[in-house]
């Protein structure tokens, strides 16, 4: 949807400015969290008390969120740099390193221990998702030039096929964003799981600093366009769907991290790519190739291996 919204333009209508969509998604995330808090508090008094006490009264806690939201902003911008400097396939292979970086930060930051089977399952997942992604990248038609190319938060809606400029810079960018993704995710998970502060409050705190960073980005890169056409220029229903999807998707990430963890999030997103492939097969005439099918099978096997304690199961059936 994001890509479609960037390449399909109605005649006579201007293209929306991508950085405004990023900013509005942060604002929408904050509004959604406030709505949930209001629902949970059951009265306006309880709600305003909570906002005053937990959010306005604890600016230091919001400042803590500058680290993950700053890293997310950096990561999303670096992905754009990586996509502009690397070939699509190289990008996809190297970007899957975030599965391993997340696992490493889960061990280092969260004290999690992973046995050999789990590491093997993670490597298998990386291989499988790379194979699955290779098809979506090779079958993606080169997008038309778009009105604004300043979107830092939506790397995949940028031109996917660009002349290779500097692979070294691209590689450094992708490695840095993998490290940033793993660190930011585990840092956020640690904050969520080691304090009693509600997840909705944490997301508002993250959203405030995220809105700050995206606002600065928007003003820095698109101030002239904003002055000429306003914040909502080129918006139609699809743009709002994309914005809502971004915002609610971010909240889903937080829910997954709170009730499961960042490593499982990697498996979930990999499986969701396969589900998208199956939906595209029925809806968009998507023809899966052999690497896609093989990669999908590897992702499923790796998820299964990660989910079961493989060696325990094996020793249980082995006679002494
Ligand atoms: O690639 P990775 O899994 O690190 O991306 C996570 C994405 O989820 C980032 O784009 C980040 O902005 C978003 N996020 C969010 N709210 C959270 C956690 C992550 O919007 N609480």
């Amino acid at each position: 949807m994001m890509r479609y919204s960037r390449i399909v333009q109605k005649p006579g209508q201007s293209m929306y400015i991508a950085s405004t969509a990023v900013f509005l998604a942060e604002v929408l995330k904050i509004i959604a969290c406030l709505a949930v808090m209001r629902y949970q508090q059951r009265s306006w008094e309880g709600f305003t008390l909570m906002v005053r006490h937990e959010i306005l009264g604890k600016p230091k806690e919001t400042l803590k969120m500058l680290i993950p939201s700053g890293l997310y902003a950096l990561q999303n911008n670096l992905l754009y740099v990586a996509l502009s400097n690397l070939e699509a396939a190289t990008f996809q292979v190297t970007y899957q390193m975030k599965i391993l970086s997340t696992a490493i930060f889960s061990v280092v930051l969260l004290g999690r221990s992973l046995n050999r089977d789990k590491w093997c399952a993670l490597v298998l997942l990386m291989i499988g998702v790379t194979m699955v992604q290779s098809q979506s990248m090779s079958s993606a038609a080169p997008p038309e030039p778009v009105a604004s190319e300043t979107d830092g938060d939506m790397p995949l809606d940028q031109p996917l096929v660009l002349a290779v400029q500097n692979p070294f810079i691209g590689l450094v960018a992708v490695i840095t964003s993998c490290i940033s993704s793993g660190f930011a995710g585990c840092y956020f998970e640690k904050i969520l799981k080691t304090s009693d502060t509600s997840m909705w409050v944490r997301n508002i705190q993250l959203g405030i600093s995220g809105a700050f960073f995206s606002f600065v980005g928007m003003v820095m890169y698109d101030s002239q366009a904003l002055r000429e056409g306003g914040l909502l220029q080129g918006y139609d229903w699809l743009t709002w769907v994309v914005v809502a999807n971004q915002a609610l998707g971010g909240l889903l990430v937080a829910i997954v991290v709170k009730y499961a963890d960042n490593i499982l999030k990697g498996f979930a997103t990999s499986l969701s790519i396969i589900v998208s492939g199956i939906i595209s097969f029925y809806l968009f005439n998507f023809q899966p190739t052999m690497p896609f099918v093989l990669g999908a099978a590897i992702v499923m096997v790796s998820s299964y291996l990660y989910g079961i304690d493989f060696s325990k199961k094996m020793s249980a059936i082995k006679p002494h």
Side-chain angles (χ1 to χ4, degrees):
M1 278 195 295
M2 197 181 273
R3 216 174 97 78
Y4 184 80
S5 75
R6 298 302 292 164
I7 59 175
V8 175
Q9 203 173 347
K10 286 194 193 119
Q13 195 188 14
S14 60
M15 173 59 71
Y16 71 93
I17 306 172
S19 62
T20 64
V22 177
F23 171 68
L24 289 175
E26 293 294 342
V27 174
L28 193 64
K29 222 164 70 174
I30 297 174
I31 295 171
C33 292
L34 286 172
V36 175
M37 272 168 60
R38 167 65 187 84
Y39 173 77
Q40 287 177 337
Q41 291 302 311
R42 296 186 184 276
S43 72
W44 284 108
E45 288 75 29
F47 170 70
T48 44
L49 203 73
M50 183 138 181
V51 170
R52 235 186 284 153
H53 188 253
E54 292 289 325
I55 297 160
L56 303 177
K58 292 181 179 170
K60 265 193 197 156
E61 294 295 310
T62 303
L63 284 181
K64 258 193 207 169
M65 291 302 179
L66 283 176
I67 297 175
S69 68
L71 283 174
Y72 279 137
L74 172 83
Q75 159 193 342
N76 294 326
N77 280 295
L78 283 178
L79 286 180
Y80 170 46
V81 177
L83 274 167
S84 313
N85 285 289
L86 289 177
E87 277 179 59
T90 317
F91 169 77
Q92 280 305 346
V93 173
T94 46
Y95 192 43
Q96 302 316 324
M97 277 189 305
K98 77 174 182 170
I99 292 174
L100 281 191
S101 73
T102 301
I104 292 168
F105 281 115
S106 292
V107 171
V108 175
L109 280 182
L110 301 164
R112 207 158 270 151
S113 69
L114 297 171
N115 61 23
R116 201 193 52 203
D117 296 337
K118 296 229 188 284
W119 285 111
C120 288
L122 286 166
V123 172
L124 267 184
L125 177 70
M126 264 175 57
I127 297 170
V129 77
T130 304
M131 287 169 75
V132 167
Q133 290 278 60
S134 68
Q135 178 168 4
S136 64
M137 293 303 281
S138 58
S139 63
E144 303 291 317
V146 291
S148 166
E149 295 300 351
T150 55
D151 169 25
D153 221 5
M154 303 177 179
L156 286 178
D157 74 349
Q158 304 299 333
L160 300 173
V161 185
L162 288 177
V164 173
Q165 287 157 355
N166 192 332
F168 179 72
I169 290 184
L171 213 59
V172 171
V174 83
I175 291 171
T176 313
S177 37
C178 285
I179 295 171
S180 162
S181 165
F183 184 83
C186 293
Y187 182 97
F188 185 66
E189 183 177 341
K190 189 167 183 153
I191 287 186
L192 270 186
K193 288 180 174 165
T194 54
S195 79
D196 292 335
T197 309
S198 114
M199 182 182 68
W200 306 104
V201 170
R202 286 296 184 201
N203 270 304
I204 292 174
Q205 292 165 342
L206 192 76
I208 291 172
S209 34
F212 167 75
F213 282 118
S214 49
F215 183 79
V216 171
M218 187 172 79
V219 171
M220 263 171 64
Y221 293 112
D222 293 316
S223 56
Q224 194 179 345
L226 282 169
R227 264 197 304 274
E228 283 165 11
L231 187 79
L232 298 182
Q233 59 185 294
Y235 270 64
D236 60 11
W237 67 270
L238 182 67
T239 321
W240 285 111
V241 172
V242 168
V243 168
N245 194 38
Q246 269 276 97
L248 301 181
L251 290 180
L252 263 183
V253 167
I255 295 172
V256 170
V257 165
K258 161 102 183 165
Y259 294 104
D261 60 51
N262 271 290
I263 298 180
L264 291 179
K265 178 168 83 64
F267 282 96
T269 43
S270 306
L271 287 168
S272 80
I273 297 169
I274 298 170
V275 174
S276 301
I278 295 169
I279 294 173
S280 302
F281 174 75
Y282 288 104
L283 292 187
F284 305 118
N285 200 24
F286 167 77
Q287 298 298 323
T289 56
M290 205 51 199
F292 182 94
V293 176
L294 214 63
I298 293 176
V299 167
M300 282 185 253
V301 168
S302 73
S303 307
Y304 180 71
L305 290 182
Y306 190 86
I308 59 162
D309 212 336
F310 192 60
S311 37
K312 261 193 203 151
K313 286 250 158 77
M314 290 311 282
S315 60
I317 55 169
K318 251 189 250 162
H320 285 288

